[in-house]
Amino acid sequence: MKSLVAYNLNSESSLTLEQREVPVPKNDEVVVEIHAAALNPLDEDVKSGYIPFAKNPPIILGNEGAGIVKSKNSKFPIGTKVIIQGNDIGVKNDGTFQENICIPIKYLIPLPKEYSFEEGAALSVSYLTAYSALDYYCNLEKISNEWIIVTGASGSVGLAALQIISALNLKPIAVVSTKVREKQLNDLGYKHIINLDIEEINEGINRITENSGVQIALDTLGGDITDKLLNSLNKKGKLICIGYKKSVNANINILTLISNSIEIIGYDIYALSDAYKTNVLNKIYYLANQGLIRPIIGDSYLLEDWFGAFNSMKSRKILGKTIFKIN
């Protein structure tokens, strides 16, 4: 079977497409024939050696995917279409960039009705990140009629957050930086958009909320955006930091932080319990089956063109997820 393997983990590392034997499952595992696997920034981080707890090479990358159950097990009949959730695959264990994978049964959920393999492959990581980051610190089920601002709203996590916020009858504000991204989100039905090429965050918030302000911010960008969000939140607001696409450094005004009693929260999915993540995935699965959320697929590649796939993801020129079509 085809497998995309990393033999070195550093900034200059390459990947090797090679033939391997189909794996044999252990007692708690099932063989899944992978039809699609999503590419995430985590894969680039592992490949570049930025994840200290990653499995020593060789390692097969890929943190999520979708396919068909091919071996007998206690839960899923052979032929069941399933999603492979993230957890530690592609990080501590071999991942989804291969034609077949042995995976613990607990990491599988049925493919939502009317979902393609590509959409299923893109469901777990971005949506789990967005939902859990907001829910763990803000308890989404206990808030209503709330504005939530999302930076990097055209990225995979940002798009997932917008869909989740809308599905829960809350009010998303999308932050983008170009007219093209503004139009793309507008075409998707999002009307409350701040284009940083035209206005500042605080100006956009005041315009959209009619000066009532925002209590919750989900920041995927970092850098000076974090400081601008801090200065734009209401008293006792929550600023949840989940990414650093713009920069890992931010200039924080401590006086603003103290005088407005704002919480700045650093989110790490690996700090959450498996039980909590499973609970969140069940909620995401419910929303997916109700047709309330649906991943946006940007472009797709074969494993042979892994270099083009990684470049596409890193360029951020395409709206939606980059996918490997495998079987």
Side-chain angles (χ1 to χ4, degrees):
M1 67 171 191
K2 292 180 182 178
S3 304
L4 194 57
V5 186
Y7 280 93
N8 296 287
L9 300 181
N10 56 63
S11 59
E12 301 299 324
S13 65
S14 182
L15 300 178
T16 302
L17 187 65
E18 63 183 32
Q19 291 289 334
R20 289 190 171 189
E21 295 294 322
V22 175
V24 177
K26 300 175 184 176
N27 290 335
D28 63 338
E29 292 181 335
V30 60
V31 175
V32 175
E33 178 186 81
I34 298 174
H35 283 244
L39 194 56
N40 290 290
L42 175 63
D43 300 310
E44 177 66 24
D45 288 345
V46 174
K47 183 172 98 57
S48 300
Y50 298 153
I51 307 298
F53 50 83
K55 172 182 178 286
N56 288 330
I59 179 174
I60 298 172
L61 304 178
N63 193 234
E64 59 182 338
I68 298 175
V69 171
K70 303 299 285 186
S71 65
K72 291 183 179 180
N73 62 91
S74 60
K75 187 174 181 180
F76 298 103
I78 291 176
T80 302
K81 296 178 180 180
V82 293
I83 289 174
I84 301 167
Q85 340 167 356
N87 289 284
D88 56 7
I89 61 172
V91 182
K92 294 182 180 179
N93 299 290
D94 283 341
T96 56
F97 296 169
Q98 54 183 325
E99 290 185 314
N100 294 276
I101 188 173
C102 281
I103 195 78
I105 297 173
K106 65 181 181 179
Y107 289 171
L108 301 179
I109 56 176
L111 186 74
K113 57 186 179 182
E114 299 182 5
Y115 261 48
S116 67
F117 285 119
E118 291 79 13
E119 290 169 330
L123 181 65
S124 63
V125 172
S126 296
Y127 287 81
L128 174 61
T129 300
Y131 199 118
S132 59
L134 290 168
D135 180 69
Y136 192 79
Y137 300 108
C138 303
N139 200 339
L140 290 175
E141 294 176 359
K142 292 188 176 181
I143 60 177
S144 60
N145 200 37
E146 189 81 62
W147 290 103
I148 300 178
I149 188 168
V150 180
T151 67
S154 60
S156 58
V157 175
L159 288 168
L162 295 181
Q163 289 188 14
I164 290 165
I165 294 165
S166 299
L168 297 177
N169 295 314
L170 300 169
K171 299 181 293 187
I173 298 175
V175 180
V176 297
S177 57
T178 68
K179 193 69 177 176
V180 171
R181 291 304 197 210
E182 181 182 4
K183 183 181 184 306
Q184 288 173 330
L185 292 188
N186 200 271
D187 290 345
L188 290 172
Y190 299 105
K191 303 305 179 186
H192 304 299
I193 303 172
I194 299 173
N195 182 352
L196 296 178
D197 196 38
I198 298 173
E199 61 184 341
E200 292 292 338
I201 287 178
N202 63 325
E203 295 171 346
I205 288 175
N206 290 336
R207 171 179 57 81
I208 292 167
T209 68
E210 297 180 343
N211 298 310
S212 64
V214 169
Q215 203 72 21
I216 301 169
L218 187 68
D219 182 22
T220 72
L221 298 178
D224 64 331
I225 298 298
T226 302
D227 184 46
K228 290 177 180 179
L229 283 172
L230 174 65
N231 290 313
S232 303
L233 288 175
N234 289 343
K235 282 185 176 294
K236 297 186 177 179
K238 292 186 178 182
L239 172 51
I240 305 166
C241 301
I242 66 171
Y244 41 85
K245 291 177 184 175
K246 205 165 189 294
S247 176
V248 297
N249 299 309
N251 294 316
I252 300 299
N253 188 319
I254 300 300
L255 181 59
T256 302
L257 185 68
I258 294 172
S259 61
N260 288 333
S261 299
I262 291 174
E263 291 182 63
I264 299 181
I265 303 162
Y267 168 84
D268 177 10
I269 195 169
Y270 292 104
L272 305 178
S273 70
D274 286 344
Y276 176 76
K277 287 185 283 190
T278 298
N279 182 50
V280 170
L281 282 167
N282 287 335
K283 294 177 180 178
I284 292 168
Y285 183 64
Y286 173 80
L287 294 176
N289 267 317
Q290 296 300 309
L292 295 172
I293 59 175
R294 196 166 200 131
I296 296 170
I297 306 304
D299 51 3
S300 60
Y301 293 82
L302 299 177
L303 289 177
E304 286 84 348
D305 193 16
W306 66 266
F307 189 78
F310 272 81
N311 279 344
S312 176
M313 177 191 68
K314 290 187 290 184
S315 74
R316 304 190 186 117
K317 292 180 180 179
I318 302 295
L319 185 74
K321 277 274 196 176
T322 297
I323 299 290
F324 281 121
K325 287 187 175 182
I326 299 178
N327 276 300

